[in-house]
Amino acid sequence: MKASDLLVRCLEHEGVDFVFGVPGEENLDVMDSFLGSPIRFIVTRHEQGAAFMADVHGRLTGRAGVCLSTLGPGATNLLTGVADAYLDGAPLVAITGQASLDRMHKESHQFIDVLSMFRPVTKWNAELFTPQIIPETVRKAFKVAQTEKPGATHLELPEDVAAQQVADSSYHSPLRVQFPFLPEPLTAQVNRAVEVIAKARRPIILAGNGVVRGRAHEALRRLARQCQIPVAHTFMGKGVMPDSDPLSLYTIGLQLRDYSAVVFAESDVVITVGYDLVEYAPCFWNPNRDKHIVHVNVTPAEVDAHYIVDVGVLGDLSLSLDQIADHLTSFEPRWAKGGRERIQAAFEAEWAAPLSWPMRPQHIVRELRAVLGSDALVICDVGAHKLWMARMFPCDVPNTCIISNGFASMGIALPGAVAAKLLFPQRQVVAVAGDAGFLMNSQELETAVRLRLPLVVLIWRDDGYGVIRFKQQLKFGRTAGVEFGNPDFVAYAESFGAAGYRVEGPTELGAVLKEALACGKPAVIDCPVDYSENLRLAERLKRECGVRNTE
């Protein structure tokens, strides 16, 4: 058996259904070994697109997505998507080709130290320097990627090793797939947490990405409803508490002091569940360091001056939440009701603004939500539109609005939508992107067309780097280097064989979205947006919510 055959056999044994990547000279043997395998190799147009597809695969399934590249420039192109999975807690296994062992000690064509380059953005990585270690290293790569706080791992396969025969037949079989169970929380810590929470007058739950990763949303809902504790979620925790639920305080995450931040300011105990500091720094919601914090997670709390916890409950999230709930009684419901009513009233006022052209961000969000089913998958890119989608796009189902807010890399939406549609062909899939983020990986539109994936890309077009323009206006009152031109997005989409649509008035978006979703092939919608609303929002929040104190 050839080493590359053994690698593919091990991937099959791990349950891998797709590998996303770009072929190269140094992975010729691996590519040949995929022939006849049940694994479907998805040829992408750029390695970054492949990594983002694997990233979103991991987010949606909880199983590591796999991406493949060759050495040198292939590996460097892969790196951004791998880093995104690492910082956002998405399970991913990256495989890169490498030069043969006999030329790695010297200056050599396309050779760089890929292992060292990937080490800071992976939980673990290794070189497959001999065929015999392939079963162990593949098993470890998946085990590490998918356990505790998930993330990225990396394997490097030199081209000469890939072509070698596995001499010892005892190494021909993959290792048995095993994953450790998360431990039960310590009873003493649960009791301490209950003591802290029970003394609260205005408790609040901050639900993070770990609730989604740990599939713990049902337990969180039970705790919140039994005890009448309101819940706010981070950008990456959207949907863990249905936004239609009276206990939902929607999303917290703007650096501006948003409506939910005012409710946080009034709280005395914050129960963080599956929360990572990378999602939303605690200095924004605990500026005066006066909150009592109960940390419920699978890993200990990060050290931060604004995140000094009273007690940490570590272990399986669902078990931890259920055990805490078993010892608590209901709080006065007026606290939760009052906070939600204030936020709802503020949102209703924003939605009630008259239609205008180009469209206000709030109205784009409302039209998109109106045409999508509750289980539709929205993959949101990074930019000014992300802020509006995160704070105002309602979700009742977790993991239905995917937002990168750890590494927060532009370019994820379209590749992520490709992965989402491959995994869930019967569900509506929409990539929401700015014009800048779309063009960073728009080549993957060809991938979607080739694979006949009827997904929709909704482009919020403002002909510039909208969020940077906004920050410049806030800080300096002027802009610099943020304007650019765009192609005709309708013609651009059609040149790939996709459908192209242009929204030309404030009342057209809903109908265009319905037509694009029903057209049976990839579709791109060009929708102009009025981002002057960003400054109006900033002024409104300053007036209504006050200036935050970050010391």
Side-chain angles (χ1 to χ4, degrees):
M1 177 185 292
K2 194 166 61 171
S4 59
D5 294 335
L6 178 58
L7 173 67
V8 172
R9 177 180 290 188
C10 289
L11 295 177
E12 293 170 359
H13 191 67
E14 295 290 339
V16 173
D17 42 12
F18 302 103
V19 172
F20 306 96
V22 176
E25 290 184 46
E26 283 71 24
N27 57 30
L28 290 176
D29 285 279
V30 175
M31 294 302 303
D32 188 68
S33 295
F34 279 123
L35 295 176
S37 171
I39 295 173
R40 188 176 176 187
F41 186 81
I42 303 298
V43 180
T44 66
R45 300 307 302 268
H46 194 283
E47 292 87 354
Q48 186 180 114
F52 280 140
M53 291 177 196
D55 178 356
V56 171
H57 179 289
R59 294 172 194 253
L60 291 174
T61 66
R63 296 179 287 109
V66 181
C67 52
L68 174 74
S69 79
T70 189
L71 81 174
T76 58
N77 285 344
L78 205 67
L79 192 64
T80 295
V82 173
D84 192 80
Y86 172 72
L87 213 55
D88 282 29
L92 175 148
V93 174
I95 302 171
T96 58
Q98 186 51 283
S100 57
L101 294 172
D102 63 0
R103 65 184 181 98
M104 291 171 61
H105 65 287
K106 59 184 178 180
E107 184 176 331
S108 182
H109 179 64
Q110 291 192 317
F111 171 74
I112 58 172
D113 186 353
V114 172
L115 274 179
S116 294
M117 182 176 69
F118 273 68
R119 194 162 291 126
V121 296
T122 54
K123 295 178 68 178
W124 176 79
N125 70 338
E127 180 183 82
L128 308 180
F129 55 84
T130 179
Q132 282 73 20
I133 69 170
I134 289 175
E136 288 183 346
T137 52
V138 171
R139 178 81 281 276
K140 182 171 181 178
F142 280 83
K143 182 176 182 179
V144 173
Q146 294 176 199
T147 53
E148 292 184 342
K149 179 183 174 181
T153 59
H154 166 236
L155 298 174
E156 177 179 87
L157 180 59
E159 59 178 330
D160 55 340
V161 177
Q164 290 177 19
Q165 292 295 314
V166 185
D168 189 338
S169 61
S170 64
Y171 293 98
H172 285 189
S173 298
L175 299 186
R176 184 155 57 99
V177 173
Q178 293 178 299
F179 291 102
F181 287 100
L182 286 171
E184 291 192 25
L186 293 175
T187 301
Q189 292 301 96
V190 171
N191 292 338
R192 289 182 61 208
V194 169
E195 289 178 11
V196 173
I197 299 169
K199 293 176 182 177
R201 295 178 58 246
R202 296 178 299 278
I204 194 168
I205 293 173
L206 174 57
N209 188 27
V211 181
V212 178
R213 294 191 303 253
R215 307 304 197 256
H217 59 281
E218 292 293 352
L220 183 140
R221 294 174 183 184
R222 286 193 294 270
L223 170 64
R225 289 164 179 165
Q226 175 183 314
C227 300
Q228 288 296 298
I229 303 175
V231 179
H233 42 63
T234 64
F235 287 10
M236 294 198 289
K238 285 177 68 67
V240 297
M241 192 71 184
D243 282 329
S244 59
D245 193 287
L247 291 169
S248 172
L249 299 179
Y250 304 95
T251 306
I252 189 165
L254 288 189
Q255 293 182 17
L256 295 170
R257 186 178 169 89
D258 207 347
Y259 308 120
S260 55
V262 177
V263 183
F264 264 82
E266 297 172 353
S267 69
D268 52 357
V269 173
V270 179
I271 308 160
T272 65
V273 185
Y275 161 74
D276 297 331
L277 272 63
V278 72
E279 299 184 73
Y280 186 54
C283 65
F284 294 120
W285 57 264
N286 189 22
N288 299 317
R289 311 180 192 179
D290 57 351
K291 307 300 180 190
H292 294 285
I293 299 172
V294 175
H295 172 88
V296 184
N297 214 327
V298 297
T299 54
E302 177 62 273
V303 175
D304 186 287
H306 294 264
Y307 196 70
I308 305 301
V309 304
D310 288 59
V311 56
V313 180
L314 305 182
D316 182 278
L317 287 184
S318 293
L319 289 174
S320 299
L321 293 169
D322 283 340
Q323 290 183 21
I324 291 171
D326 285 343
H327 297 88
L328 286 174
T329 57
S330 178
F331 289 90
E332 167 55 55
R334 284 179 295 181
W335 155 242
K337 183 180 179 182
R340 178 174 171 86
E341 287 177 347
R342 296 206 305 271
I343 296 171
Q344 279 188 310
F347 278 180
E348 289 297 332
E350 290 189 39
W351 274 314
L355 294 177
S356 59
W357 186 252
M359 291 186 70
R360 298 176 189 269
Q362 299 97 320
H363 294 155
I364 298 178
V365 171
R366 184 175 60 188
E367 292 298 309
L368 178 63
R369 180 71 276 177
V371 302
L372 294 181
S374 62
D375 70 339
L377 293 169
V378 175
I379 316 298
C380 189
D381 218 288
V382 173
H385 66 283
K386 182 186 84 169
L387 307 180
W388 291 99
M389 287 291 294
R391 68 188 292 265
M392 299 194 80
F393 183 78
C395 290
D396 279 359
V397 180
N399 230 17
T400 53
C401 183
I402 303 298
I403 296 177
S404 171
N405 203 46
F407 197 60
S409 175
M410 296 175 70
I412 191 175
L414 175 54
V418 169
K421 198 64 177 178
L422 283 168
L423 286 166
F424 302 104
Q426 301 308 314
R427 293 167 70 174
Q428 296 168 312
V429 174
V430 177
V432 176
D435 41 11
F438 171 68
L439 284 177
M440 286 187 178
N441 273 312
S442 62
Q443 71 281 346
E444 301 307 338
L445 192 57
E446 188 280 326
T447 306
V449 170
R450 174 170 24 96
L451 298 176
R452 297 185 175 89
L453 301 176
L455 55 86
V456 172
V457 183
L458 174 60
I459 301 173
W460 299 34
R461 177 169 58 82
D462 70 324
D463 302 309
Y465 292 106
V467 74
I468 305 305
R469 180 196 290 130
F470 172 44
K471 295 296 181 71
Q472 289 177 342
Q473 289 168 330
L474 284 178
K475 188 171 183 178
F476 303 112
R478 58 182 184 272
T479 64
V482 292
E483 312 297 332
F484 52 69
N486 275 310
D488 180 332
F489 284 121
V490 173
Y492 187 72
E494 291 173 346
S495 73
F496 283 93
Y501 300 88
R502 182 175 291 108
V503 179
E504 296 182 316
T507 62
E508 294 182 7
L509 179 57
V512 170
L513 278 165
K514 291 177 182 178
E515 184 176 346
L517 286 163
C519 76
K521 61 180 179 178
V524 174
I525 300 173
D526 175 0
C527 183
V529 59
D530 177 11
Y531 276 139
S532 63
E533 188 68 16
N534 294 342
L535 286 175
R536 287 192 287 270
L537 175 66
E539 286 301 315
R540 186 162 55 247
L541 294 180
K542 182 178 179 181
R543 182 176 63 252
E544 298 178 11
C545 302
V547 179
R548 63 178 175 83
N549 174 19
T550 57
E551 295 191 353

